[in-house]
Amino acid sequence: MITVREKPVTHWLPITKKEVEMRGWDEIDVILISGDAYVDHPSFGTAVIGRIIESEGFRVAIIPQPNWKDDLRDFKKLGKPKYFFGVTAGCMDSMVNHYTANKRRRSNDSYTPGGEAGFRPDYATTVYSKILKEIYPDVPVLIGGIEASLRRVTHYDYWEDKLLPSILVDSEADMLVYGMGEQPLRDLLRLVKKGVPLNSIKDVNQIAFLEEGLEEVETYNDWETVELASHEVCLEDKIKYASNFKIVEVESNKWQANRIVQKVGNKTLVINPPYKTMDEAEMDKSFDLPYTRMPHPKYAKRGTIPAYEMIKFSINMHRGCFGGCSFCTISAHQGKFIASRSEESIMKEVDALTQHPEFKGYISDLGGPSANMYRMKGKDESICNRCQAPSCIHPVICSNLDTSHKPLTKLYQKVDAHPEIKKAFVGSGVRYDLLVDDFNKNNQDGNHDEYMEQLVTRHVSGRLKVAPEHTSDATLRVMRKPGFKYFRKFKDKYDKIQEKHGLKQPLIPYFISSHPGCEEADMANLAAETKDLGFKLEQVQDFTPTPMTVAEVIYYTGVHPYTLQPIHTAKTKEEKLTQNKYFFWYKPEVKGWIKNRLLKLGHKDLAAKLLSPIKPQNQEIKKVEEVQKKSTTVMSEKPNYNSKKPIETKTQEGVFDKKKPLKKKKGWA
Ligand code: SF4
């Protein structure tokens, strides 16, 4: 069996001059600059883009995590490419990667060997792009990835606490590809191969660029154009900014969207409509590229890459999410419509995984952005074609949505039957509301129950992740999540299946504090309700307003972008820490604080609930602790580059964490 050391380095895309020479290239067509280490795996955007470029017959090299603080030799080491530079901050927005919800700098980075921080600048896309423009002013720069994608239009930047224009302005890049890059990139590559300069291309879908001047922009492909309020108007008028967001979100979620334009300074930003959702053949083509599924060998002595360790034995079955949660960027980046891989392609990847030198028979995640949306789509797609809803399941499940879990159950069973697979777990979060009959009436043939049986009995790795996110129905409405009563119903159903099979696999619910619409009393209620259900919460996070989300717009403007009605958000550090503290009602050092705080606020009843001993009939908290102690299988959260969340959400910032000794920072200091 081939180990990573034995595999020839030419199996990876080149990242050094020597590796370029080993391929016999005297020139490189496209050079990619990435804020992440190079992991040649389909969950890592730079690898996907690199492999696509390679598959189109181009010579492509990668410069991962270049030093931006020295004499810039990393940017110069491969010379200038024939066609263009491609720039990405990495799998996450660099600011989300670098800072906690309270703007405290993180001491680690999951996308760097050894988890070391300091190998990527803040606002990485802009920093890299400007450097390239300075060194090679005549070479086009194309930016992409989640940071560029979600900053494509005027957006609120939480870290600078102000509105920023499209990232095209500050980065000085020539073009931006938003969303998943395969389709636009393939079309762009075919054009540049024909000799069309990248920066002259205007008619490809899913790209954005700046045009000089404020005159009407020429139109292509019969696209209709929608004009947003200009960046300067947004700076003056928060309501106009909120209204802009609604237009951008509606267009992002349409089957056939319009082109968007926005004036900024003396230029016009043009955002071409997205491509249609990738079909099965296109998805397979992307996932079937010849990835080594391993980090580049150069990192062998620098320690493991935490994000890779989490996903190295996982399989992503689909893209997109029709949930439309207010705080999430998945649909803004991957789209509302689900793009699924074929069963054949997934099984091929299972086979490939079994050949991995470290594979021991366990798949850590058979999942996607949400675990259970595989192959789901509209029953009559002509209705979807005219639809503008940002979510297919909020406030109610659309009657046109086919939520059959049959294809997914069949796939689980098929993977389960593979002779080399001992267990295939589902580590991605399960969208539980799809499985609650009172909320989703489409369970006539019982396929949801069949799925749950299969999931609970065969694919839970000790604990099952679900994300009710809150218990307050008012906050949940702002979040575009279902009422909490449906979580209770799901739990009942889950517990019954467990009881039937003699299983003890606790549910691990995820919650968010300080989300727009959430008051302090809501957090006290959340603590009391979850305690009552037997949970001692651990997977919790404090809200971070990330670009291009409904919640970010509410945070900045104070109004909901659809209704323009005011919504309160906890904003100060103190307010945020206070809300977060309620999650930890069970810690001895918090009990006194809870008592004083709730009595002061006039919630004697809640104080009594939270400080009373755990009910004898509700010993699940203890069971959870026992299972957690015994559990040897590490749950994985898929760190795909579409996620806005940092990978590790367990450690909460704030007052209760014992300060860990800070590791000596290396980075590009
Ligand atoms: S018609 Fe229904 S299923 Fe189709 S996109 Fe709209 S909400 Fe989703």
Side-chain angles (χ1 to χ4, degrees):
M1 190 164 285
I2 298 175
T3 69
V4 67
R5 281 205 179 80
E6 291 160 352
K7 221 170 202 174
V9 73
T10 45
H11 283 216
W12 282 263
L13 297 172
I15 64 172
T16 63
K17 183 107 182 111
K18 196 172 154 203
E19 288 166 32
V20 171
E21 284 162 6
M22 281 166 80
R23 291 182 173 235
W25 296 347
D26 53 2
E27 192 179 26
I28 301 166
D29 296 323
V30 181
I31 297 177
L32 302 178
I33 311 279
S34 168
D36 290 342
Y38 169 34
V39 180
D40 194 38
H41 186 285
S43 288
F44 291 79
T46 309
V48 177
I49 296 305
R51 291 295 180 185
I52 287 168
I53 296 172
E54 181 191 43
S55 74
E56 290 292 327
F58 287 74
R59 295 164 297 183
V60 55
I62 300 174
I63 302 179
Q65 301 192 312
N67 189 344
W68 72 101
K69 290 178 171 174
D70 62 1
D71 58 1
L72 307 178
R73 70 187 66 175
D74 284 348
F75 292 85
K76 299 171 190 163
K77 68 181 181 187
L78 301 181
K80 68 174 183 181
K82 184 172 174 187
Y83 296 116
F84 61 89
F85 282 107
V87 170
T88 173
C91 293
M92 290 172 71
D93 186 288
S94 56
M95 302 309 283
V96 180
N97 186 305
H98 293 171
Y99 296 91
T100 67
N102 254 326
K103 302 186 186 178
R104 202 178 60 193
R105 194 154 183 105
R106 297 181 195 277
S107 56
N108 56 359
D109 183 336
S110 298
Y111 293 88
T112 302
E116 296 283 351
F119 285 85
R120 179 196 304 100
D122 285 358
Y123 303 103
T125 311
T126 299
V127 172
Y128 295 153
S129 175
K130 282 176 89 159
I131 289 173
L132 292 169
K133 279 290 168 194
E134 214 175 294
I135 308 174
Y136 306 107
D138 55 331
V139 182
V141 173
L142 172 69
I143 56 175
I146 196 132
E147 181 167 285
S149 178
L150 301 179
R151 292 172 181 267
R152 60 187 180 261
V153 66
T154 296
H155 58 281
Y156 171 68
D157 183 273
Y158 173 59
W159 302 272
E160 286 195 20
D161 191 21
K162 66 179 189 189
L163 281 192
L164 296 179
S166 164
I167 192 170
L168 281 162
V169 174
D170 290 337
S171 69
E172 299 165 24
D174 299 270
M175 186 184 283
L176 182 158
V177 161
Y178 67 91
M180 305 307 281
E182 286 101 330
Q183 293 159 298
L185 197 63
R186 286 192 194 279
D187 280 348
L188 291 170
L189 290 168
R190 282 166 201 156
L191 287 167
V192 295
K193 203 176 227 173
K194 282 186 197 159
V196 183
L198 185 88
N199 43 14
S200 71
I201 300 171
K202 311 281 180 204
D203 58 348
V204 164
N205 290 69
Q206 222 166 298
I207 61 169
F209 50 90
L210 291 170
E211 287 279 54
E212 289 295 335
L214 303 175
E215 305 77 46
E216 202 174 308
V217 189
E218 192 181 341
T219 190
Y220 304 92
N221 305 331
D222 295 330
W223 292 328
E224 301 271 323
T225 299
V226 186
E227 180 158 1
L228 303 177
S230 73
H231 177 68
E232 287 69 26
V233 166
C234 291
L235 292 176
E236 298 296 320
D237 187 338
K238 287 185 173 178
I239 301 297
K240 290 267 166 52
Y241 170 64
S243 306
N244 266 6
F245 175 83
K246 183 183 170 191
I247 298 171
V248 174
E249 189 182 59
V250 166
E251 293 303 332
S252 306
N253 286 327
K254 268 189 192 168
W255 194 277
Q256 278 171 337
N258 296 315
R259 183 174 74 160
I260 293 173
V261 297
Q262 184 190 31
K263 296 189 169 69
V264 46
N266 56 2
K267 295 184 179 172
T268 304
L269 168 72
V270 181
I271 305 176
N272 288 348
Y275 281 84
K276 283 197 180 143
T277 307
M278 283 166 78
D279 61 23
E280 202 174 87
E282 287 172 301
M283 283 288 282
D284 288 357
K285 199 171 166 189
S286 177
F287 279 88
D288 294 349
L289 292 167
Y291 303 100
T292 58
R293 304 184 65 87
M294 292 175 191
H296 190 280
K298 112 169 185 176
Y299 305 123
K301 289 188 184 141
R302 283 181 55 193
T304 55
I305 299 171
Y308 168 68
E309 292 303 311
M310 282 192 178
I311 56 84
K312 70 178 167 188
F313 300 129
S314 75
I315 292 182
N316 185 9
M317 301 193 289
H318 67 273
R319 288 186 190 153
C321 180
F322 47 67
C325 298
S326 299
F327 48 83
C328 181
T329 53
I330 298 275
S331 60
H333 187 66
Q334 295 195 358
K336 176 177 81 169
F337 299 103
I338 304 298
S340 300
R341 298 170 64 187
S342 71
E343 224 180 79
E344 196 192 345
S345 165
I346 294 168
M347 292 311 293
K348 220 154 86 184
E349 193 176 348
V350 172
D351 285 338
L353 209 59
T354 63
Q355 300 306 308
H356 192 289
E358 295 161 40
F359 188 70
K360 301 260 186 324
Y362 297 93
I363 293 180
S364 61
D365 187 19
L366 271 179
S370 288
N372 52 329
M373 288 189 184
Y374 179 66
R375 289 255 168 99
M376 290 183 190
K377 58 181 186 159
K379 294 170 196 162
D380 178 348
E381 292 192 318
S382 67
I383 301 175
C384 302
N385 195 355
R386 301 189 302 273
C387 176
Q388 299 203 1
S391 168
C392 302
I393 54 178
H394 182 83
V396 293
I397 294 198
C398 171
S399 56
N400 189 40
L401 183 69
D402 180 358
T403 61
S404 171
H405 283 59
K406 267 190 178 160
L408 191 53
T409 309
K410 200 173 132 224
L411 198 49
Y412 285 178
Q413 289 165 344
K414 218 166 170 175
V415 176
D416 223 11
H418 191 290
E420 304 289 327
I421 303 297
K422 290 179 187 150
K423 275 275 187 191
F425 298 116
V426 174
S428 299
V430 170
R431 190 76 205 204
Y432 73 83
D433 42 356
L434 290 173
L435 298 162
V436 175
D437 290 347
D438 284 2
F439 188 66
N440 184 358
K441 317 269 185 224
N442 300 322
N443 188 24
Q444 286 88 353
D445 63 354
N447 76 73
H448 298 170
D449 307 324
E450 189 194 3
Y451 170 78
M452 268 194 74
E453 284 267 342
Q454 176 74 25
L455 173 76
V456 178
T457 57
R458 299 291 308 158
H459 305 284
V460 177
S461 169
R463 320 184 292 172
L464 183 72
K465 290 195 296 192
V466 283
E469 307 290 12
H470 217 289
T471 58
S472 148
D473 284 351
T475 308
L476 286 165
R477 265 194 297 280
V478 179
M479 289 178 160
R480 292 188 182 145
K481 297 286 279 184
F484 193 64
K485 68 176 180 188
Y486 297 114
F487 174 73
R488 291 176 180 276
K489 290 188 184 229
F490 174 78
K491 188 174 179 303
D492 286 347
K493 198 170 170 177
Y494 181 80
D495 288 347
K496 275 190 192 126
I497 299 176
Q498 292 227 90
E499 210 177 300
K500 184 172 141 194
H501 296 280
L503 295 166
K504 283 180 184 167
Q505 308 169 131
L507 283 178
I508 301 296
Y510 282 48
F511 290 94
I512 300 178
S513 55
S514 307
H515 190 276
C518 174
E519 307 282 350
E520 186 179 336
D522 296 325
M523 288 306 298
N525 270 308
L526 185 154
E529 286 211 50
T530 52
K531 179 186 176 190
D532 205 41
L533 280 170
F535 292 111
K536 193 188 244 185
L537 302 180
E538 52 167 289
Q539 292 290 3
V540 295
Q541 62 172 319
D542 196 45
F543 169 66
T544 305
T546 54
M548 221 166 155
T549 58
V550 176
E552 165 255 300
V553 177
I554 300 172
Y555 180 92
Y556 170 67
T557 64
V559 299
H560 194 288
Y562 282 66
T563 61
L564 302 182
Q565 293 302 308
I567 293 179
H568 172 261
T569 308
K571 280 188 167 181
T572 66
K573 191 171 177 178
E574 195 192 5
E575 279 176 301
K576 284 169 84 66
L577 286 173
T578 298
Q579 287 215 4
N580 198 261
K581 233 175 192 178
Y582 283 98
F583 286 134
F584 306 101
W585 55 269
Y586 50 85
K587 297 201 175 191
E589 66 268 35
V590 179
K591 288 189 171 171
W593 176 87
I594 288 213
K595 186 178 172 190
N596 293 337
R597 187 83 189 166
L598 288 178
L599 291 182
K600 200 171 142 198
L601 294 173
H603 293 298
K604 201 174 162 191
D605 49 334
L606 280 174
K609 264 190 184 177
L610 282 174
L611 300 172
S612 63
I614 297 167
K615 290 180 197 164
Q617 78 273 22
N618 193 1
Q619 292 298 316
E620 190 162 344
I621 292 175
K622 289 197 173 120
K623 281 191 226 157
V624 170
E625 284 168 346
E626 282 161 23
V627 173
Q628 282 164 1
K629 272 183 207 149
K630 282 182 201 158
S631 176
T632 50
T633 314
V634 178
M635 295 292 288
S636 71
E637 185 176 349
K638 206 171 185 67
N640 67 43
Y641 56 104
N642 315 300
S643 172
K644 75 174 177 66
K645 291 181 186 175
I647 290 170
E648 289 178 48
T649 54
K650 275 191 185 177
T651 306
Q652 294 310 303
E653 69 180 73
V655 285
F656 314 112
D657 295 335
K658 290 204 177 73
K659 285 229 163 46
K660 286 185 204 150
L662 278 179
K663 273 197 273 175
K664 190 170 171 279
K665 283 186 189 166
K666 288 183 187 160
W668 297 122

